[in-house]
Amino acid sequence: MSEHSANPSSTVAANGRPLAVKAVIPAAGLATRFLPATKAVPKELLPVVDRPVLQYIVEEATQAGIGDVLLITGRGKTSMVDHFDRRPDLETRLEEKGDSERLAAVRRPSELAEIYTVRQPEQLGLGHAIGYAESHVGDQPFAVLLGDEFVKPSEPLLPAMLELQARTGGVVLAFFEVDPSETKRYGIASVEPAESELTDIGEVVKVTGMVEKPQPEDAPSNLAVLGRYVLPGKIFDAIRRTKPGSGGEIQLTDAMELLRTEGIPVHAIVYRGTRYDTGMPLGYLQTVVQIAAERDDLGAEFRSWLADFVKADAAGGSGT
């Protein structure tokens, strides 16, 4: 049994309207920043200590009560699906050895959620990828979790986003604050205060527009888009009506902006918890180090070694 089924009440918002119960994870990209490692291994399966990035993301969805996950995959990425399948041969070997801890860890991915897939034959933008989810999602709201970032389980983001979408019926985004000098690396939002009846959910703002990678002097704020969205079913029609934008691709941002101009409300949660970004090598390494340092079984010894390494490196030694 998937663990999400243990908490059916989590699928209803405070106002009685249903929450989104399906998630879409776009994961068809080529991950060129990580070549040659990603020539044969999907970036989403790169390990963060002993769990792949993708498992952390599916666990984030499951924690929010979502038990149906659609992976938008590409050529050469079938191993992502394999990770969430059973391995009876491996399980039998671990049972025979009496290794119950690793047996539970091996079984856990298959127990998280129902995993479905659809192939995106060409990578023509995030909006293009999301369009392939229509036959699975239908006209119901759904969550989108980008495949290269996740948040700390003890500081969840998605439950508040699901609640906000159920209340407004519109588009819900997530933002995080960046240093003003860094706005040129992100999509940046212009915002205004949200309606008073929404402020009990968290730090909610109403979105009045978004600019892609503005220079600091042109940025309307320092609120950057985090890779989490909760979208209404109307997004699919908007995607069909969206022309290629930046890079000649169908951009999800453009489709959301089209809905906003047509009267669909767009709100966001400003997230102040811990965000792990594995989309680039430096962020990936930082994530591995941070999570390893916080592990109960590894943290103390790893932090001690890391401190010695940094001290030796600063002194010009090898650190080993």
Side-chain angles (χ1 to χ4, degrees):
M1 177 183 293
S2 299
E3 64 182 42
H4 68 272
S5 62
N7 188 17
S9 63
S10 65
T11 61
V12 179
N15 63 354
R17 292 174 60 181
L19 299 169
V21 295
K22 295 184 178 183
V24 174
I25 302 177
L30 298 176
T32 55
R33 292 186 181 97
F34 286 87
L35 287 172
T38 50
K39 179 181 177 182
V41 178
K43 177 183 70 173
E44 295 80 7
L45 292 187
L46 293 178
V48 177
V49 187
D50 53 8
R51 274 186 283 168
V53 172
L54 184 58
Q55 183 172 331
Y56 282 93
I57 294 168
V58 172
E59 287 173 346
E60 183 181 337
T62 298
Q63 184 185 20
I66 291 175
D68 180 308
V69 175
L70 176 69
L71 302 179
I72 310 292
T73 68
R75 189 174 294 107
K77 291 201 162 188
T78 56
S79 56
M80 291 192 302
V81 184
D82 293 339
H83 178 72
F84 295 94
D85 201 357
R86 294 290 298 270
R87 275 288 305 271
D89 57 332
L90 180 57
E91 292 175 21
T92 297
R93 179 65 62 88
L94 292 170
E95 280 184 307
E96 291 172 348
K97 292 175 61 178
D99 194 340
S100 58
E101 183 175 346
R102 287 190 175 86
L103 177 61
V106 166
R107 284 178 172 167
R108 177 168 170 76
S110 66
E111 298 170 344
L112 287 172
E114 302 297 332
I115 304 294
Y116 302 90
T117 65
V118 64
R119 176 74 65 89
Q120 182 190 15
E122 293 182 273
Q123 285 71 64
L124 299 177
L126 180 56
H128 180 260
I130 298 303
Y132 279 88
E134 184 173 13
S135 61
H136 184 80
V137 172
D139 61 358
Q140 298 301 305
F142 63 101
V144 174
L145 297 85
L146 298 193
D148 54 13
E149 59 184 300
F150 56 96
V151 304
K152 196 170 186 176
S154 61
E155 301 165 354
L157 166 63
L158 203 53
M161 295 182 67
L162 297 176
E163 174 76 26
L164 181 57
Q165 198 284 328
R167 295 227 203 145
T168 66
V171 172
V172 172
L173 309 175
F175 297 151
F176 66 104
E177 286 192 320
V178 298
D179 187 274
S181 65
E182 296 292 302
T183 59
K184 58 184 179 292
R185 296 178 51 201
Y186 301 96
I188 301 296
S190 56
V191 302
E192 62 184 30
E195 299 87 336
S196 59
E197 63 269 21
L198 299 176
T199 56
D200 65 301
I201 296 175
E203 192 172 345
V204 180
V205 293
K206 187 172 183 178
V207 180
T208 58
M210 285 179 283
V211 181
E212 191 65 27
K213 300 178 181 178
Q215 292 298 316
E217 62 271 18
D218 299 322
S221 74
N222 69 332
L223 295 176
V225 179
L226 193 153
R228 296 293 179 269
Y229 312 79
V230 185
L231 304 171
K234 292 183 176 70
I235 193 68
F236 297 115
D237 178 63
I239 289 171
R240 281 191 289 272
R241 294 186 286 126
T242 298
K243 300 183 185 304
S246 176
E249 298 180 334
I250 305 297
Q251 300 293 344
L252 180 61
T253 298
D254 294 339
M256 294 188 299
E257 179 64 11
L258 177 59
L259 288 183
R260 190 188 68 80
T261 62
E262 294 176 345
I264 301 298
V266 181
H267 293 83
I269 302 280
V270 180
Y271 182 66
R272 301 194 183 280
T274 303
R275 166 183 171 266
Y276 303 104
D277 183 356
T278 64
M280 293 186 292
L282 177 59
Y284 170 74
L285 291 172
Q286 291 169 333
T287 297
V288 172
V289 169
Q290 187 170 349
I291 288 181
E294 294 173 349
R295 288 267 296 250
D296 291 338
D297 56 338
L298 300 171
E301 187 174 355
F302 179 66
R303 289 193 302 271
S304 176
W305 173 85
L306 189 61
D308 290 342
F309 175 83
V310 171
K311 184 185 302 182
D313 184 67
S318 66
T320 59

